[in-house]
Amino acid sequence: MIKIKTYKPTLTTVTYNKRVRYEYFIEQELESGLSLQGWEVKSLRSGKANISNSYVLLKDGEAYLFGAQFQPLAVASSHVVYDPMRTRKLLINKRELDSLFGQVKQKGYTVVALSLYWKNAWAKVKIGVAKGKKNYDKRLCIKEREWQLDKARTMKYSRP
């Protein structure tokens, strides 16, 4: 009897941008590939990446990840010039890229990085088309989150 292996994609999150959900309403999410150099892949595998202040820059018909930091490893090669804040090209197909350009031209929309993860052997970035929140929207979000926590606490303690 021959066993056939089933293919299951594995996702391993390296870093997550928690602040973006507080600052923006996420209208649409897309998955994008990321063009990296060798030392960046090594630092990403060791978990030394930060996308907390990064966003997507759209220019000349292409998309770039701006503001992401990849810290070089101490044991890496010494002949390579490291730039932790380098602008990295995103690998998005033309149809999705045209959709992004169309949405960003609308007033108040921007494209931000939500998370950075491995999908099988490929580094991927989840990006989102976002609209900024006002202060009262942020207060409502905090109020709703606290209400959900209080509700969960009361349900936990009210069970017999």
Side-chain angles (χ1 to χ4, degrees):
M1 176 185 272
I2 299 173
K3 286 189 177 181
I4 299 174
K5 291 185 179 181
T6 58
Y7 177 73
K8 294 181 182 178
T10 59
L11 296 177
T12 307
T13 303
V14 176
T15 183
Y16 181 72
N17 193 351
K18 290 191 261 185
R19 184 107 180 128
V20 76
R21 301 264 181 203
Y22 177 73
E23 295 286 336
Y24 298 101
F25 292 114
I26 306 299
E27 302 286 329
Q28 179 185 2
E29 293 183 3
L30 293 170
E31 181 181 72
S32 169
L34 192 58
S35 177
L36 297 174
Q37 295 177 348
W39 68 271
E40 292 170 330
V41 174
K42 289 179 182 180
S43 67
L44 190 61
R45 288 219 183 266
S46 65
K48 296 185 180 286
N50 184 8
I51 60 167
S52 62
N53 294 325
S54 64
Y55 60 93
V56 176
L57 183 66
L58 300 171
K59 71 175 187 179
D60 299 332
E62 294 181 347
Y64 299 95
L65 183 64
F66 185 78
Q69 295 179 348
F70 288 73
Q71 295 302 319
L73 298 175
V75 294
S77 176
S78 62
H79 69 279
V80 178
V81 178
Y82 304 113
D83 184 12
M85 294 289 290
R86 183 177 74 88
T87 303
R88 294 158 185 93
K89 185 176 178 180
L90 294 178
L91 307 173
I92 306 175
N93 66 31
K94 188 68 173 169
R95 182 177 42 87
E96 291 175 341
L97 202 55
D98 290 340
S99 171
L100 285 178
F101 272 100
Q103 290 177 347
V104 167
K105 285 183 182 178
Q106 294 177 9
K107 185 178 178 191
Y109 283 94
T110 187
V111 184
V112 291
L114 302 174
S115 64
L116 183 61
Y117 57 93
W118 290 102
K119 186 172 183 180
N120 297 329
W122 304 100
K124 299 286 186 176
V125 178
K126 183 172 280 193
I127 58 176
V129 178
K131 186 169 182 131
K133 286 185 181 180
K134 304 287 185 193
N135 282 336
Y136 57 85
D137 291 327
K138 294 176 187 177
R139 287 193 295 267
L140 285 174
C141 182
I142 292 170
K143 190 176 182 181
E144 177 67 27
R145 184 174 61 228
E146 288 177 354
W147 165 242
Q148 293 296 331
L149 286 171
D150 289 341
K151 187 168 68 170
R153 282 188 199 116
T154 56
M155 292 297 287
K156 180 181 177 183
Y157 292 122
S158 66
R159 292 184 182 169

